[in-house]
Amino acid sequence: IVEFSGIGKYIDTPVKRYSSGMYVRLAFAVAAHLEPEILIIDEVLAVGDAEFQKKCLGKMKDVSGEGRTVLFVSHNMGAISNLCNKAIILKQGKLTAIGTTDIIIKKYLTENVNIITENSFVNVEKNRRGNGKVRFTEINLTDENKNYMQEFERGQKALFTFKVKKNDQRIQNATLRICFRAAHTGEFVTTTKEEMLFFNRNNEIICSIIIDTQQFRAGIYDLYFYLGNSEESLDIVDSVTNPLIIIDSQNLAKTLEKYNGYFDIYHEFKSLSE
């Protein structure tokens, strides 16, 4: 349990002094090694680094492979796709859909077109990190014609639109970056370079990042949105939003098959507000 949690050198520290990440690591490690008949996991992947998330998914697969039940609660579509063979949608405490994972994920994404709005799940403070001096207030993913969507045919343009608000007058500017995680490994596969944001007199900015999906293989990519500066992390929305899904119905990505490295993705940045 201690080895799995990865916090061995802090194991004698009182739990009340643990960070939220350390607490979840230890809690998951204990639960997963008790060999329960039913393992209920609620948003455990919202905390922890990519390596620990990968370990969690592997352990849950081991548990289900032994004939035991894993009830996995998450907004991480990549992880759900990787782990589950059946899924349900809950809305305000009521079951609204049940079926095979691929069908339920498509239904969920169709019903939840906005990645983040002011009143969305993601805006709950525990589901994001950073000190909050600057915050995303809205993030949307559309095609070039402003149609909300998460699934793109390879070669289409994906348009991310951001509304960002400054809550601390001492902050002069911030940088914005999008990272894309491989759903099966939790590792970053590509990222945009950092873009500098300058706020208007209302301490807000609206901007967009346009990406040609020709640069991706087909697959599900969990999204990581970052605001920061050289001194601090201001807001991080990490793998709790709807993912970017790339399909390649004509199998046009053969030239990418031999490439397995990390690279910066080409994109176009636009500031849409004064």
Side-chain angles (χ1 to χ4, degrees):
I1 288 172
V2 174
E3 182 181 358
F4 186 93
S5 69
I7 59 171
K9 63 181 179 179
Y10 305 108
I11 201 65
D12 293 323
T13 301
V15 174
K16 66 182 180 181
R17 296 193 181 132
Y18 281 14
S19 68
S20 58
M22 293 167 65
Y23 187 90
V24 169
R25 279 172 172 267
L26 184 59
F28 180 87
V30 171
H33 288 82
L34 290 178
E35 299 186 355
E37 288 300 315
I38 301 174
L39 179 62
I40 302 175
I41 304 295
D42 188 355
E43 287 294 352
V44 70
L45 299 185
V47 181
D49 55 26
E51 182 183 356
F52 182 70
Q53 292 178 13
K54 187 177 179 180
K55 285 171 65 175
C56 288
L57 285 173
K59 187 63 178 178
M60 285 186 277
K61 278 188 171 183
D62 291 343
V63 170
S64 63
E66 294 168 358
R68 290 177 280 155
T69 299
V70 176
L71 180 57
F72 181 52
V73 185
S74 181
H75 290 74
N76 185 325
M77 295 300 107
I80 289 173
S81 175
N82 189 19
L83 180 66
C84 304
N85 51 29
K86 180 181 271 190
I88 66 173
I89 297 176
L90 293 176
K91 190 171 185 179
Q92 297 181 344
K94 295 182 179 180
L95 190 152
T96 62
I98 184 170
T100 58
T101 302
D102 57 340
I103 291 175
I104 294 300
I105 285 178
K106 284 188 176 181
K107 181 174 176 61
Y108 175 83
L109 295 178
T110 300
E111 294 177 352
N112 295 274
V113 291
N114 290 345
I115 292 182
I116 171 175
T117 61
E118 195 165 352
N119 298 313
S120 70
F121 160 84
V122 180
N123 252 1
V124 178
E125 192 168 317
K126 69 178 183 180
N127 297 317
R128 58 204 294 180
R129 294 175 284 148
N131 58 28
K133 294 178 182 178
V134 177
R135 283 289 200 194
F136 293 109
T137 57
E138 188 171 327
I139 305 174
N140 289 309
L141 175 56
T142 67
D143 64 10
E144 288 187 289
N145 297 318
K146 303 296 179 67
N147 298 308
Y148 292 109
M149 56 197 302
Q150 273 80 44
E151 188 172 281
F152 293 79
E153 182 70 41
R154 187 170 175 271
Q156 274 187 288
K157 296 288 181 64
L159 173 64
F160 292 89
T161 303
F162 303 91
K163 290 184 180 180
V164 178
K165 184 175 180 61
K166 181 172 69 171
N167 300 313
D168 188 327
Q169 298 302 316
R170 294 170 295 179
I171 302 294
Q172 298 301 312
N173 51 55
T175 58
L176 165 66
R177 171 177 286 198
I178 310 173
C179 299
F180 303 84
R181 292 184 190 270
H184 294 294
T185 65
E187 298 169 314
F188 288 137
V189 292
T190 184
T191 182
T192 62
K193 73 179 182 69
E194 291 185 343
E195 294 289 350
M196 186 69 72
L197 306 182
F198 297 94
F199 298 94
N200 61 22
R201 64 186 63 184
N202 295 320
N203 296 318
E204 297 177 329
I205 184 173
I206 302 174
C207 58
S208 67
I209 288 179
I210 304 170
I211 293 171
D212 186 346
T213 61
Q214 189 79 17
Q215 301 170 89
F216 290 83
R217 289 193 182 97
I220 298 176
Y221 295 88
D222 295 327
L223 298 170
Y224 173 107
F225 301 101
Y226 174 83
L227 289 172
N229 56 35
S230 59
E231 300 176 349
E232 53 196 340
S233 295
L234 302 169
D235 196 12
I236 300 173
V237 178
D238 182 7
S239 296
V240 293
T241 67
N242 292 343
L244 172 68
I245 302 175
I246 307 296
I247 58 176
D248 189 3
S249 57
Q250 299 184 44
N251 194 27
L252 299 176
K254 292 180 180 179
T255 56
L256 291 176
E257 290 305 312
K258 294 181 180 179
Y259 190 85
N260 291 306
Y262 175 93
F263 61 98
D264 285 342
I265 195 167
Y266 173 79
H267 70 280
E268 179 183 355
F269 176 79
K270 291 182 178 179
S271 179
L272 306 175
S273 59
E274 297 180 358

